[in-house]
Amino acid sequence: MDVTGMWVTADGHIRQELRADGRYDEARGTRRSAYTGSYTVTGSHIDYADDTGFTATGDIRDGVLFHEHLVLYREGRPGSES
C-alpha cells in the first residue's frame, strides 16, 4: 500500500508527511518538525518510531489514516478532505 505523501487533520492543524524513504515529519500548528522519525508499513498498518524513542501505530481504512487518537486525510489526492 502506498502511504507516501501529506496527511492532514480536518482542521489542518496537524500535517504528517510520510516520505518514500521510510521517514516521517509531523508539523503541529506553526511548529514545523514537531515529531520526526521512521515508519514501516505492513498491509494497511503503520508502525512509527520517533527519533526521541517513543513508538506509535496507525491504520488506514477507506483512505483515512487513524493514527493513535488522530484522524488524518490524504492531501491532494482524489477523495481527500483537503
Side-chain angles (χ1 to χ4, degrees), residues 3-82:
V3 300
T4 60
M6 187 66 73
W7 295 82
V8 299
T9 54
D11 63 5
H13 181 74
I14 298 174
R15 303 175 59 79
Q16 186 180 91
E17 180 185 14
L18 299 178
R19 300 183 344 207
D21 64 357
R23 299 280 302 164
Y24 73 89
D25 189 309
E26 184 175 302
R28 292 189 173 229
T30 59
R31 187 173 167 211
R32 299 182 68 202
S33 300
Y35 298 100
T36 59
S38 61
Y39 72 93
T40 57
V41 179
T42 306
S44 61
H45 180 81
I46 303 174
D47 288 299
Y48 296 86
D50 189 82
D51 290 338
T52 62
F54 73 84
T55 60
T57 62
D59 290 287
I60 297 176
R61 295 189 302 272
D62 298 323
V64 177
L65 172 55
F66 296 89
H67 171 57
E68 299 297 334
H69 66 281
L70 302 173
V71 178
L72 299 109
Y73 302 91
R74 193 184 292 258
E75 183 178 73
R77 303 254 181 125
S80 68
E81 297 292 318
S82 51

